[in-house]
Amino acid sequence: MPELPDIEVYLEALERRIRGETLRRFRVASPAVLRTFDPPFASIEGRRVEDLRRIGKRIVWELEGGLHVVVHLMIAGRLKWTDKPGAPVPRKVGLAGWDFDEGTLILTEQGTKKRAGIWIFPDGASADQEDRGGIEPLTADIASFSEALTAENRTLKRALTDPRIFSGIGNSYSDEILWEAGLSPVKRTRQLLPEEIERLHAATRQTLVAWTEKLRAAVGDDWPTKVTAFQPEMAVHGKFGEPCPRCGTPVQRIVYASNETNYCPGCQTDGKLLADRSLSRLLGEDWPKTLEELEELKRG
């Protein structure tokens, strides 16, 4: 799922192309992508794009006359730009297209589960109702960060990815943040020492800023075409079995549903392996507790 750094870079690319431009036509290839019906979707045509902003992982357009368009890419949704006005929306993966004088913006989604959505609201206050309430991690001071983090006794992984607690952080960057902070993904928020909260606060900002700058530099003035949850330069996310860039310990993971948590036992859990639910059920008491036990199990 595109997260805060990806959405920021998308917004910057949109600013360069559609801010101040008039939306000539809005084409819907898959009606299921529309999540609202009033105002009607055709009402946004002929209006100038006056502003763009982010609500969590959602992209928000403010149009002339007050109408607001909210786009949520979910897991597999992506935005594509072509300099060809009226470019066709791809049949299999295309959901919608916005036509401007200088080109076309197309929303696509890979896979059979169509989760990406478009909302049209009459005003900004209505659009703001899509805000899940999480604080902005890049602007939160240590006091507000600590208050939000410890409001409920959650695991750090769940807390960082909960949009009611933090805005814009998902599965990928939460792994990187926790690695940067040297904290276990399953440690409880109310078990953190003050210095650990400070470390997590700094790591959150440092990770999100650094990745936004990396993605921005990679895109330049072009369009972001490599929006992915698995970046080659990431330290632990998607790096199962590879050596940690800080200590060399093989990166481990916990798999659950369609997501996974990646972590370094050497840097984050004092050498202990975190139990994977499916393997724990299979192995029971034989589940290895350390890397040494895991290696012995593999050899056996």
Side-chain angles (χ1 to χ4, degrees), residues 8-83:
E8 287 291 338
V9 174
Y10 263 142
L11 280 171
E12 292 168 3
L14 286 168
E15 286 268 358
R16 295 191 293 268
R17 288 165 176 81
I18 70 172
R19 185 185 175 99
E21 300 297 321
T22 298
L23 174 62
R24 299 302 180 187
R25 187 183 176 199
F26 176 40
R27 292 175 286 148
V28 179
S30 175
V33 75
L34 293 175
R35 304 302 171 83
T36 55
F37 62 90
D38 186 24
F41 72 85
S43 64
I44 67 175
E45 296 179 340
R47 297 175 185 263
R48 185 174 64 254
V49 179
E50 296 188 335
D51 200 7
L52 294 135
R53 59 189 174 96
R54 178 180 61 82
I55 296 178
K57 300 171 189 172
R58 295 163 173 79
I59 294 172
V60 183
W61 309 7
E62 180 181 341
L63 301 180
E64 180 182 11
L67 291 184
H68 280 63
V69 178
V70 177
V71 180
H72 194 350
L73 300 174
M74 292 300 290
I75 295 175
R78 297 293 185 270
L79 293 172
K80 301 181 183 297
W81 175 265
T82 171
D83 292 332

